[in-house]
Amino acid sequence: MAAHSPKKILIVEDEADIARLVKLYLEKEGYQTTLARTGLEGWKALASERPDLVILDLMLPEMDGLELCKKLRGRAETALLPVIMLTAKADEADTIVGLELGADDYVTKPFSPKALVARMKALFRRLDRQDDDRPSLYRYGHLVMDLSRHEVTVDGRETPLTAKEFGLLEHFLRHPGRVLTRDVLLNAIWGYEYYGTTRTVDVHVRRLKSKLPVLNQAVVSVKSLGYKLLEPEPASPARR
């Protein structure tokens, strides 16, 4: 069996001591690392290095972490790239914005490299499960999507969808809680050869909500980016 190549991690951090510590620890754990000291360097490194995960500080020169996160989520090639943000406790509001922009997790300074690696491994495991165990059936509240039968039902009643609406809904259900930009949705559903505008996505989202009112509050618009399907609420325990 061929050995897996080590995962590549891009570290975007301007504090030299923290950057050096994280880099050394990750390499000790068997990861390949690239270090960028500014947001602009990090943006350039995304294209040249093609990392598997980004460790991104919030406070950066030239381009801050929030702006860099927003830009990478806006590119089809990096829209689903895992991002862990490094924040200070005083940056709670910025942390929330970072998660809204699509960061997958965050670690508060000061932190131990061991804790950071544990977060990384947990994130990779979650993403690997999504890739390896793609279900044929999705459930979201009373909504059920059966891929094998190409059928969507709400409370057992089928709702006919066009092929594009069906693909759009599947993409939302595959990535709950993730900000999906209009460009990413356009490329995923319509393909790279499609030359329409991103307004096409807005029209189809409205049609999808019209046909499936259960999504009216669940699919939310993220200003200047795209859309997000809210994480489903956990089911309440049954009363005896």
Side-chain angles (χ1 to χ4, degrees), residues 88-101:
K89 286 185 177 179
D91 296 329
E92 183 178 359
D94 285 337
T95 299
I96 294 171
V97 173
L99 294 174
E100 285 292 320
L101 290 176

Side-chain angles (χ1 to χ4, degrees), residues 139-144 153-156 214:
R139 295 183 185 277
Y140 191 91
H142 297 287
L143 183 151
V144 177
T153 60
V154 178
D155 290 325
V214 68

Side-chain angles (χ1 to χ4, degrees), residues 41-153:
E41 279 184 25
W43 176 244
K44 293 176 180 177
L46 283 169
S48 60
E49 299 298 328
R50 296 183 178 274
D52 297 295
L53 181 143
V54 179
I55 297 172
L56 178 60
D57 188 31
L58 262 181
M59 303 300 293
L60 293 166
E62 297 181 350
M63 180 192 303
D64 66 26
L66 294 178
E67 180 64 21
L68 180 53
C69 187
K70 182 177 178 179
K71 284 174 71 70
L72 71 85
R73 286 290 177 248
R75 272 181 58 195
E77 298 86 346
T78 55
L80 299 178
L81 181 65
V83 175
I84 296 179
M85 279 195 158
L86 304 181
T87 74
K89 286 185 177 179
D91 296 329
E92 183 178 359
D94 285 337
T95 299
I96 294 171
V97 173
L99 294 174
E100 285 292 320
L101 290 176
D104 297 274
D105 203 351
Y106 70 95
V107 175
T108 304
K109 296 178 181 179
F111 60 88
S112 74
K114 185 176 181 180
L116 175 61
V117 169
R119 295 284 188 95
M120 289 170 48
K121 289 180 177 178
L123 182 52
F124 280 135
R125 282 196 300 270
R126 192 165 80 233
L127 294 172
D128 287 343
R129 282 199 300 271
Q130 287 179 2
D131 291 338
D132 295 341
D133 303 322
R134 182 182 175 188
S136 61
L137 197 73
Y138 290 98
R139 295 183 185 277
Y140 191 91
H142 297 287
L143 183 151
V144 177
M145 170 177 257
D146 189 331
L147 297 180
S148 61
R149 300 176 66 177
H150 202 81
E151 182 180 272
V152 174
T153 60

